Amino acid sequence: MLTDVEIAQQAKISNIVAIAEKLGLTADDLELYGKFKAKICADVWERVKDNPDGKLILVTAITPTPAGEGKTTTSIGLADSLNRLGRKVCVALREPSLGPCFGIKGGAAGGGYAQVVPMEDINLHFTGDFHAITTAHNLLAAVLDNHLQQGNELKIDVRRVVWKRVLDLNDRALRNVVVGLGGKSNGVPRESGFDITVASEIMAILCLARDLEDLKSRLGKIIVAYNVEGKPITADDLKVTGSLTLLLKDAIKPNLVQTLEGTPALIHGGPFANIAHGCNSVTATKYALKLADVVVTEAGFGADLGAEKFLDIKCRLSGLQPDAVVIVATIRALKMHGGVKKDKLAKPNVKALTRGLANLAKHIENIQGFGLPAVVALNDFPTDTDEEVAVVELFCADKNVKFARSKVFAEGSVGGIGLAYAVESAFNEEKNFKLTYADDESIKEKISAVSKKIYGAKNVDYSTAAQKQIAELEKLGFGKLPICIAKTQYSLSDDAAKLGRPKNFTVTVREVKISAGAGFIVVLLGNILTMPGLPKRPAAEKIDITPDGIISGLF
């Protein structure tokens, strides 16, 4: 079979204006970035805001493993399959980060015959949104350090500067740095560090803002430091909010591209789900719902991370509500959760598969706990046996959950027709949407609710620092905000080595901090890092481009 990039390069891509017409948009509604990419003009919203909303499908997955799950591929393939059935459909996804693209995971534009295109552009610089976010974040950092250098009128406590810098690459050497070295003229020396751009609060703000006015208001509330009296210092205090907003004036507009089969795709924003809230922008999702009859969106990693944050944060703050949730699983990944090593996954192993189904069971329970109908999509691999498939199908029947095999990677939309019908059937099921916790619960009550209800933890421990941070945040009036938990994606627990469905475990809250502009509290569990590192053999070693512009190695 051809590689992902070869399939994308051989595709016949339509002019983006023709794709826009499928959504009822015209060339005047677009800001073109060449022939195959565009941003939707801000004034379109006033024309479409009173349209009825389409159906919203959220795609999530079991706990990810190195064996792969294919959540984005399934999302794109499902949208194409619904399109093949004659539905007016749009897929709404996150933008890929350059960090994993050049690291271990590769890109995030789907795979096989279920991709969004132009795949190379989407996986690389795209329309410059991430660069705008990176620049805005680092402008705020530069203004903060300049304020310290120029006399520190706001009496900022240099020991309590909480705003780092960001870069959209995996670079462990930048996790901890010292700035301001080189003498008095080069700034005030202090410890700092870098996060990856997708962990930036500005990324979260862009993805949660309703419009430019709301974006500006949220940016102004960003807390960058505390003064000597313990009071927060914000971007508004530094008088830089207008400049930050200006840098993001184009980035807030959703990006329009297409799938290999010409289904419209809005790709906008890209917070990671393990260290951030893991959902594409509210703006793009709401545009899609007004422009299409059915919208497919996805949330990062497993349902314990991306889906929980989609429902408890994005839906809470935006009023969105899914009509059905697809949980993607693979037999390979389930066997790994059942104790099989990666190099043995091709061998049939019903016993290990059966053990691994405990992980799928927990994710099903979580989605049903939100009061939403669930559909299990079994992403097909050539090594799957009929007996193994039958085990998963029977398991889903016992759980009273719809099941469908998905072969969109190899077959495109034809391979997802069964899944499309199963999802449409789920629209008719009763829904009783409810959140994991209430706004008026304490910070610890919210952490406990997510840890115990969603992860399955028995207890929650807190570091001494986290205890103090929680007390301070509640004293400052932030206790009513939702929480965004950062933890490993590889386990339901905060220990990446605990596969399957661990029980009787304790999660440890290491740090708690406020993202006042985004409107949530960030809770860090275990050893989670907000600046990833590169593997021993990064994907960057395999990527190349020829003199005539042909790209290879990108996936």
Side-chain angles (χ1 to χ4, degrees):
M1 184 173 173
L2 299 174
T3 65
D4 290 350
V5 70
E6 289 170 339
I7 292 170
Q9 288 167 346
Q10 293 182 14
K12 294 181 179 179
I13 309 178
S14 299
N15 189 289
I16 198 61
V17 175
I19 299 300
E21 290 172 352
K22 296 182 179 183
L23 296 175
L25 300 175
T26 68
D28 290 338
D29 295 324
L30 306 178
E31 295 177 4
L32 300 177
Y33 283 66
K35 295 187 291 184
F36 308 119
K37 300 172 291 183
K39 282 188 171 288
I40 299 177
C41 297
D43 56 5
V44 170
W45 180 250
E46 288 303 312
R47 193 174 78 242
V48 304
K49 66 181 182 180
D50 294 325
N51 291 355
D53 283 344
K55 297 287 189 180
L56 180 60
I57 304 163
L58 173 63
V59 179
T60 183
I62 61 172
T63 303
T65 71
E69 287 70 49
K71 185 171 63 275
T72 304
T73 299
T74 302
S75 300
I76 296 165
L78 173 59
D80 280 338
S81 300
L82 289 162
N83 184 50
R84 175 175 281 272
L85 293 177
R87 316 301 186 242
K88 185 180 181 183
V89 62
C90 182
V91 60
L93 304 171
R94 294 172 298 160
E95 300 178 47
S97 164
L98 291 176
C101 187
F102 292 115
I104 191 169
K105 181 177 181 289
Y113 290 93
Q115 296 187 56
V116 281
V117 285
M119 175 264 221
E120 304 97 321
D121 292 359
I122 294 167
N123 275 322
L124 297 174
H125 302 288
F126 202 19
T127 58
D129 294 345
F130 280 25
H131 299 293
I133 292 165
T134 302
T135 304
H137 185 114
N138 291 337
L139 171 63
L140 183 53
V143 169
L144 170 61
D145 277 312
N146 184 61
H147 183 88
L148 296 175
Q149 172 75 358
Q150 302 296 344
N152 195 6
E153 181 182 342
L154 294 172
K155 294 183 172 55
I156 293 171
D157 185 344
V158 178
R159 298 164 302 178
R160 297 206 63 194
V161 174
V162 296
W163 193 252
K164 298 181 180 181
R165 286 167 169 80
V166 296
L167 183 72
D168 191 37
L169 289 172
N170 294 359
D171 194 346
R172 62 172 55 84
L174 294 178
R175 287 172 184 162
N176 298 284
V177 302
V178 177
V179 298
L181 297 179
K184 187 176 181 180
S185 64
N186 290 313
V188 177
R190 62 180 183 85
E191 291 186 36
S192 187
F194 277 73
D195 293 331
I196 192 166
T197 296
V198 290
S200 168
E201 184 180 351
I202 292 181
M203 173 68 81
I205 287 172
L206 184 88
C207 289
L208 292 171
R210 296 186 304 273
D211 50 33
L212 195 65
E213 182 180 5
D214 186 38
L215 176 73
K216 186 174 183 179
S217 174
R218 290 173 177 272
L219 290 169
K221 296 175 184 175
I222 293 173
I223 294 173
V224 296
Y226 295 85
N227 67 13
V228 293
E229 297 175 351
K231 295 180 180 179
I233 302 298
T234 67
D236 274 348
D237 292 328
L238 291 171
K239 300 181 174 64
V240 72
T241 306
S243 291
L244 300 179
T245 309
L246 178 62
L247 284 170
L248 299 169
K249 70 178 181 64
D250 293 317
I252 194 174
K253 301 169 187 173
N255 306 298
L256 176 66
V257 287
Q258 62 193 285
T259 70
L260 288 174
E261 300 190 22
T263 302
L266 294 182
I267 300 183
H268 193 219
F272 281 174
N274 58 345
I275 54 179
H277 79 282
C279 314
N280 74 313
S281 76
V282 168
T283 305
T285 306
K286 288 196 167 184
Y287 266 100
L289 287 168
K290 296 298 183 183
L291 295 169
D293 296 331
V294 185
V295 175
V296 181
T297 191
E298 58 105 14
F301 295 125
D304 57 316
L305 284 168
E308 184 273 321
K309 294 170 183 179
F310 184 99
L311 299 167
D312 279 325
I313 298 176
K314 183 173 178 176
C315 289
R316 184 190 302 265
L317 299 179
S318 66
L320 295 168
Q321 179 178 325
D323 294 281
V325 179
V326 175
I327 304 172
V328 180
T330 65
I331 285 173
R332 288 165 54 85
L334 290 169
K335 287 193 288 192
M336 184 166 272
H337 279 296
V340 178
K341 300 296 183 183
K342 187 178 178 180
D343 60 353
K344 305 292 185 183
L345 292 174
K347 293 181 62 176
N349 192 329
V350 171
K351 288 185 178 180
L353 172 62
T354 302
R355 291 194 299 268
L357 285 169
N359 185 268
L360 174 59
K362 179 56 178 163
H363 291 293
I364 291 172
E365 290 168 18
N366 285 345
I367 296 305
Q368 292 175 335
F370 282 105
L372 298 171
V375 178
V376 171
L378 188 66
N379 190 13
D380 194 75
F381 275 76
T383 54
D384 298 347
T385 67
D386 290 342
E387 183 183 10
E388 290 173 324
V389 172
V391 167
V392 180
E393 186 171 9
L394 181 60
F395 172 83
C396 292
D398 288 341
K399 293 287 184 181
N400 198 28
V401 171
K402 290 181 170 57
F403 167 88
R405 293 180 74 174
S406 174
K407 300 183 178 183
V408 296
F409 180 90
E411 300 177 7
S413 62
V414 174
I417 296 298
L419 176 59
Y421 280 131
V423 169
E424 290 193 325
S425 177
F427 290 159
N428 300 319
E429 293 185 19
E430 183 179 351
K431 291 179 283 292
N432 182 27
F433 182 50
K434 50 185 177 292
L435 301 171
T436 306
Y437 51 83
D439 291 338
D440 59 1
E441 292 182 51
S442 70
I443 295 174
K444 282 191 174 181
E445 286 173 333
K446 292 169 183 172
I447 295 171
S448 179
V450 174
S451 298
K452 293 180 179 180
K453 293 180 184 178
I454 304 298
Y455 308 155
K458 184 177 181 180
N459 297 301
V460 181
D461 282 347
Y462 295 86
S463 69
T464 301
Q467 297 266 24
K468 292 179 180 179
Q469 290 158 350
I470 289 171
E472 181 178 41
L473 290 178
E474 290 184 331
K475 183 179 179 181
L476 290 170
F478 295 118
K480 304 303 181 186
L481 295 180
I483 60 169
C484 178
I485 297 184
K487 78 169 184 73
T488 178
Q489 67 269 33
Y490 296 118
S491 174
L492 286 162
S493 72
D494 59 356
D495 180 351
K498 293 179 178 177
L499 302 184
R501 183 177 183 172
K503 295 184 178 181
N504 298 318
F505 63 90
T506 297
V507 297
T508 301
V509 178
R510 174 170 55 87
E511 182 180 357
V512 180
K513 56 186 181 178
I514 181 65
S515 289
F520 54 66
I521 295 163
V522 178
V523 179
L524 285 81
L525 297 188
N527 296 317
I528 191 70
L529 296 169
T530 52
M531 170 54 88
L534 290 170
K536 187 173 183 179
R537 294 284 182 265
E541 295 180 2
K542 302 175 183 178
I543 297 172
D544 201 1
I545 184 169
T546 65
D548 54 353
I550 303 299
I551 294 172
S552 61
L554 197 62
F555 66 99

